Amino acid sequence: MAFDGIVTGALVDQLKSTLVGLRVDKIYQVENDEINIKFRKYNLLISSSGNNPRIYLTEEKKDSPKQAPIFSMVLRKHLNGAVLTDVVQYGNDRVVELIFDAWDDFSEKIQKSLVVEIMGRHSNIILLDQDRVIVDAIKRVNFTMSRVREVLPHLAYVYIEDQTKLDLYRASEDEIKEKLQALQGARTLAKGIFTSFTGFSKAIGQEVAARASLDPDRPVSSLDDEEKSKVFIELLGLIKEIKTKDYKPRVYLQGGKILDFHVLELESMAGLEEKTFSNPSQMLDAVYYKRDKDDRMGQKSQALRKLVANKLSKDKSKKSKLERDLLEAENREKYKVYADVLSANFHKIQAGLSEISLDNFYSEDLEKILIPLDVKLSGPQNAQKYYKKYAKLKNAENILNKQIYETALEIQYLDSVLSQIQLADQPSDIDEIKDELIQEGYIRRNKKKYTKKKSKQAESKEYDYQGFKIYVGKNNRENDFLTHKVARRDDYWFHIQGLPGSHVIVKTEGKNLPDQVIDFAAKLAAYNSKARDSGAVEVDYTKKQNVKRHPANKPGLVNYVDFETILVSSAKPEKI
């Protein structure tokens, strides 16, 4: 999938017809690499993300940071109140310039521009003054970062055009034909077209080949003159389609998963499920919303997931070692036997022995017992060593049992956190989990940046089903809040049996709980758990009065009694 030059051109046409003549109301920098510009009822999203660079009108709403980043402050200073006068695409490239009428400090009208470069990891958003000098950029680039071009304040803006590619908006038919004739070598037909013309994506290379009824993976060198002529004819038809702006925005899906998107109808995608849109922005919003959210979620959660997984692995190893030590402590009687038998046979123990076989007087048949010895110690010293080990293990048993119990609770808690990271829906969910781990001491807090947050009820996890309010916690602190603050004695509490998962609360308001509500709440508990999509699972439920805080006082951990169990599907409930 690619946001190519053709899609860019269609988007520019939409922005021209929609935004030109409107005044900039507000500017937000909602991410390190993303800004939103508000024009009346329209919200223009511009992102220089290395994975998902883009520009389009969006319905998505993101919270703006409490402290505005420097670049957003620069944009506000220069563009707040400015009027958009034009939107320009550079040839058929993925470079868009937004041109504004702005005002200087003396209320004189001046022209300023915002250049959006959609170039993968080199994408950028650059503010220019009336002399096309860089005021600032969302990504400053110095000579150590790029030998091709610096992007820094006070430098003239330079657009770097790929001289190896042909710009279809300026090329003649003869130039296009000459470019096609020059294609040679082992590269495929689709790649040859993609790398020859500005703004073409791989999908367009495949599309031209498909329209010419040729295999897109055929080596260019295998094409004869007639086949090259077919490619030329189909390429001209595609160019005509682009220039006449015959756009049909759509996404192509397979099994509900988006495979590709474009503003042209792609014959190469024939037979796939399609979803059409009335304009390019709607199409791009549908494609990029989930993709960008998943990408940012991955970035945010990766380090947190690794930290929790490492700690969990260490605790599991620790528990295994403690259990081995406990087994030895439980078998400590043999060390007392060793010591007693040695004490009765000092005269038989010669210096330098590593072991000795003696009669075990604790055995009815006086069976021989083989006792390991420390060659550096005398008989009495070896006996004393075993007496000490016996006494130590006797005292250690209670300590080991306590440590195993505490480590098991730690594992249970960390397992629940790891599950919540994997089930998180929004970047803000990850932030809340990180804050919980800071408060619990798993992450060292930055005293300058850290402020303690109050637990709050999550609006996104509230459901109204058959007249009953149902709440679902997204992390351990929210689970605590819902169970111990929101729920009343006669409300119902649901949780997946034996696995990490959300606490689900059903507010009864004095009413009896119908079977359908019990079933729905149980499915929510199953879906919001480690058992998601595992098939049929068991969910426990009981009145809140039967749920108590766990003595360990770990967030999200509870004890409950007098519960019932229901078997439900862990798939996503139909009603959400």
Side-chain angles (χ1 to χ4, degrees):
M1 292 190 286
F3 194 139
D4 65 17
I6 303 169
V7 172
T8 303
L11 191 277
V12 164
D13 288 338
Q14 183 195 356
L15 297 183
K16 277 186 177 182
S17 63
T18 306
L19 299 182
V20 167
L22 299 184
R23 190 180 302 276
V24 174
D25 290 333
K26 294 179 181 178
I27 299 173
Y28 302 107
Q29 187 172 341
V30 295
E31 304 281 357
N32 290 335
D33 51 17
E34 181 179 318
I35 63 171
N36 282 10
I37 303 179
K38 183 80 172 175
F39 297 86
R40 290 187 187 172
K41 62 180 181 179
Y42 300 106
N43 187 30
L44 180 64
L45 181 153
I46 308 174
S47 174
S48 61
S49 161
N51 292 334
N52 298 307
R54 61 207 188 277
I55 173 174
Y56 54 81
L57 298 175
T58 182
E59 298 293 330
E60 180 187 357
K61 298 187 187 306
K62 288 186 178 181
D63 295 333
S64 58
K66 292 181 180 179
Q67 185 172 356
I70 294 175
F71 186 65
S72 65
M73 298 296 288
V74 173
L75 291 182
R76 289 173 186 176
K77 176 183 176 181
H78 290 270
L79 297 181
N80 260 355
V83 176
L84 185 67
T85 59
D86 203 2
V87 185
V88 178
Q89 179 184 15
Y90 288 23
N92 192 44
D93 207 349
R94 297 179 299 166
V95 179
V96 177
E97 183 173 351
L98 304 169
I99 302 172
F100 298 88
D101 273 347
W103 285 264
D104 62 17
D105 294 336
F106 303 100
S107 299
E108 295 290 332
K109 184 184 291 186
I110 55 173
Q111 180 178 295
K112 294 187 179 178
S113 298
L114 198 62
V115 178
V116 182
E117 299 179 336
I118 301 172
M119 299 178 177
R121 63 188 180 92
H122 300 295
S123 298
N124 213 334
I125 306 169
I126 306 167
L127 179 65
L128 309 181
D129 66 13
Q130 68 272 23
D131 298 318
R132 304 193 65 74
V133 171
I134 298 171
V135 177
D136 207 349
I138 201 165
K139 296 178 183 176
R140 294 185 178 184
V141 181
N142 59 37
F143 72 95
T144 64
M145 301 163 68
S146 172
R147 296 179 181 179
V148 178
R149 180 187 65 162
E150 290 183 284
V151 181
L152 295 170
H154 311 302
L155 296 181
Y157 173 73
V158 179
Y159 162 60
I160 305 297
E161 186 176 6
D162 190 343
Q163 299 296 327
T164 65
K165 294 186 177 183
L166 196 63
D167 185 347
L168 292 173
Y169 286 118
R170 295 181 298 191
S172 65
E173 289 190 12
D174 287 342
E175 288 174 322
I176 295 170
K177 182 179 288 187
E178 184 180 343
K179 191 73 172 177
L180 286 174
Q181 289 296 332
L183 293 180
Q184 56 185 349
R187 69 173 60 182
T188 65
L189 173 58
K191 187 173 182 179
I193 295 169
F194 157 58
T195 56
S196 296
F197 301 98
T198 301
F200 273 21
S201 60
K202 293 178 182 178
I204 295 302
Q206 294 172 336
E207 178 64 14
V208 173
R211 293 186 182 190
S213 301
L214 296 171
D215 183 352
D217 294 324
R218 272 188 61 181
V220 171
S221 57
S222 71
L223 300 177
D224 58 30
D225 290 341
E226 183 180 349
E227 289 171 328
K228 284 187 177 181
S229 178
K230 283 184 180 181
V231 173
F232 174 67
I233 292 170
E234 294 303 335
L235 188 57
L236 289 183
L238 186 74
I239 294 169
K240 181 179 179 181
E241 192 176 338
I242 296 168
K243 289 184 175 180
T244 55
K245 306 183 188 304
D246 187 17
Y247 301 131
K248 303 178 182 69
R250 65 190 64 211
V251 297
Y252 298 90
L253 306 101
Q254 189 172 54
K257 181 180 179 181
I258 296 175
L259 294 183
D260 214 331
F261 66 89
H262 215 275
V263 294
L264 301 180
E265 188 172 0
L266 303 180
E267 291 183 15
S268 57
M269 295 288 170
L272 293 175
E273 180 187 351
E274 298 180 10
K275 185 175 181 181
T276 59
F277 299 86
S278 59
N279 61 63
S281 287
Q282 287 183 358
M283 174 190 74
L284 293 168
D285 213 6
V287 169
Y288 280 101
Y289 172 73
K290 188 176 187 305
R291 184 199 285 190
D292 184 62
K293 186 182 79 171
D294 291 347
D295 182 57
R296 294 191 188 280
M297 283 286 291
Q299 293 175 14
K300 271 185 171 288
S301 65
Q302 185 177 12
L304 207 60
R305 187 185 296 113
K306 184 177 180 181
L307 181 145
V308 175
N310 286 344
K311 176 62 177 169
L312 187 59
S313 177
K314 289 178 181 178
D315 279 345
K316 287 180 177 178
S317 296
K318 177 183 176 182
K319 183 169 178 284
S320 295
K321 184 178 182 302
L322 289 171
E323 287 171 341
R324 289 195 299 270
D325 291 345
L326 178 63
L327 183 62
E328 186 180 21
E330 290 172 343
N331 295 328
R332 63 185 178 276
E333 289 298 327
K334 71 176 182 179
Y335 298 115
K336 185 176 185 300
V337 171
Y338 287 172
D340 288 347
V341 171
L342 286 174
S343 297
N345 294 276
F346 286 154
H347 62 286
K348 295 182 180 180
I349 304 173
Q350 298 177 7
L353 289 179
S354 61
E355 60 184 21
I356 189 169
S357 180
L358 298 170
D359 293 334
N360 181 4
F361 46 74
Y362 286 107
S363 169
E364 292 182 3
D365 299 326
L366 293 177
E367 294 176 352
K368 293 287 185 180
I369 183 172
L370 187 65
I371 303 174
L373 298 174
D374 187 333
V375 295
K376 297 178 182 179
L377 303 178
S378 65
Q381 288 173 328
N382 270 292
Q384 189 62 30
K385 175 184 173 182
Y386 281 123
Y387 279 129
K388 287 181 178 179
K389 188 167 187 177
Y390 168 75
K392 182 179 179 181
L393 290 176
K394 185 176 181 181
N395 294 330
E397 184 173 10
N398 290 335
I399 297 172
L400 288 169
N401 277 318
K402 182 181 178 182
Q403 289 178 336
I404 289 170
Y405 173 73
E406 290 173 348
T407 306
L409 289 175
E410 186 92 351
I411 290 171
Q412 185 180 348
Y413 171 70
L414 291 172
D415 198 19
S416 72
V417 172
L418 193 61
S419 177
Q420 287 156 7
I421 293 172
Q422 293 166 345
L423 295 173
D425 292 326
Q426 301 290 340
S428 59
D429 297 345
I430 300 297
D431 291 336
E432 290 177 11
I433 293 171
K434 182 178 180 180
D435 187 62
E436 175 187 324
L437 290 172
I438 289 173
Q439 289 199 33
E440 291 301 310
Y442 293 96
I443 300 176
R444 185 177 297 175
R445 67 183 64 186
N446 185 327
K447 293 182 180 179
K448 293 182 179 179
K449 294 182 179 180
Y450 181 77
T451 55
K452 188 174 180 180
K453 299 177 184 178
K454 293 182 179 180
S455 299
K456 61 179 181 179
Q457 188 172 323
E459 295 179 1
S460 62
K461 291 292 186 178
E462 179 180 333
Y463 303 93
D464 195 334
Y465 186 76
Q466 294 191 8
F468 289 85
K469 290 285 186 185
I470 304 177
Y471 301 100
V472 181
K474 295 184 296 181
N475 54 58
N476 286 312
R477 289 198 301 166
E478 285 186 6
N479 285 340
D480 272 357
F481 179 78
L482 291 175
T483 299
H484 304 297
K485 298 293 184 182
V486 174
R488 296 294 177 260
R489 287 176 55 82
D490 290 331
D491 294 335
Y492 273 82
W493 178 91
F494 291 74
H495 196 278
I496 184 76
Q497 188 181 89
L499 289 172
S502 296
H503 293 199
V504 176
I505 301 297
V506 181
K507 299 289 290 181
T508 61
E509 306 295 344
K511 297 180 289 185
N512 291 325
L513 215 57
D515 290 342
Q516 298 94 324
V517 177
I518 292 174
D519 183 73
F520 180 68
K523 286 178 177 177
L524 284 175
Y527 180 69
N528 291 281
S529 76
K530 192 174 182 178
R532 177 178 287 187
D533 299 324
S534 297
V537 297
E538 292 183 324
V539 173
D540 295 336
Y541 67 98
T542 185
K543 285 190 174 183
K544 160 56 181 69
Q545 63 187 11
N546 298 321
V547 183
K548 306 298 180 185
R549 290 184 186 274
H550 196 283
N553 205 28
K554 281 282 185 185
L557 297 187
V558 296
N559 287 332
Y560 57 96
V561 296
D562 297 335
F563 59 90
E564 295 184 61
T565 302
I566 182 173
L567 188 69
V568 295
S569 169
S570 61
K572 185 176 182 179
E574 295 180 1
K575 300 295 182 180
I576 65 171

